[in-house]
Amino acid sequence: MRKLVLTLAALTMPLATGGCVKTVTSVVKAPFQAAGQVVDWTTTSQDEADRNYGRKMRKKEAREGRERREYEKQCRKHPDQCQQDQQGQPGQQGYDGYRAAND
């Protein structure tokens, strides 16, 4: 009986220590994984930068479009206050509002 217990203990020992090794490995790796996560949070990838730039430019272009439409609307109501081009249309040089490309 004693021999059976010792044999079972010897066979189960690698299984028990395998869990310990796994735990030790995860404890040792934890600080490096945490540092890597912090770096990911603090840096911006090129894909994120491109996406953010595109979003910013679309907002600027939308603002410019709104202001140009308002300018043209005012020119239609009060044509004497707007500069006209050769065809009698409100000219681009007359608009001195926000321009997305210059920002």
Side-chain angles (χ1 to χ4, degrees):
M1 179 75 180
R2 185 170 186 213
K3 188 175 180 182
L4 178 64
V5 170
L6 288 174
T7 306
L8 286 175
L11 290 175
T12 58
M13 188 60 103
L15 297 174
T17 58
C20 293
V21 170
K22 192 181 232 184
T23 302
V24 169
T25 304
S26 66
V27 168
V28 169
K29 288 176 18 181
F32 298 103
Q33 290 173 338
Q37 186 66 40
V38 168
V39 169
D40 286 344
W41 286 337
T42 57
T43 59
T44 304
S45 70
Q46 187 62 45
D47 183 48
E48 289 172 312
D50 292 343
R51 185 174 53 240
N52 292 341
Y53 178 76
R55 182 179 301 126
K56 184 171 109 176
M57 286 307 296
R58 282 191 300 277
K59 285 183 180 182
K60 287 180 177 185
E61 289 168 353
R63 175 182 171 191
E64 181 180 357
R66 284 191 302 271
E67 289 188 12
R68 282 185 180 272
R69 283 190 297 275
E70 181 62 30
Y71 172 78
E72 290 171 2
K73 182 178 174 184
Q74 291 300 321
C75 284
R76 284 192 298 275
K77 286 183 180 179
H78 309 287
D80 54 330
Q81 295 176 356
C82 295
Q83 288 183 324
Q84 307 285 322
D85 61 8
Q86 285 89 8
Q87 289 85 19
Q89 299 295 322
Q92 291 291 337
Q93 69 275 10
Y95 177 73
D96 61 349
Y98 181 78
R99 295 184 195 274
N102 295 341
D103 205 21

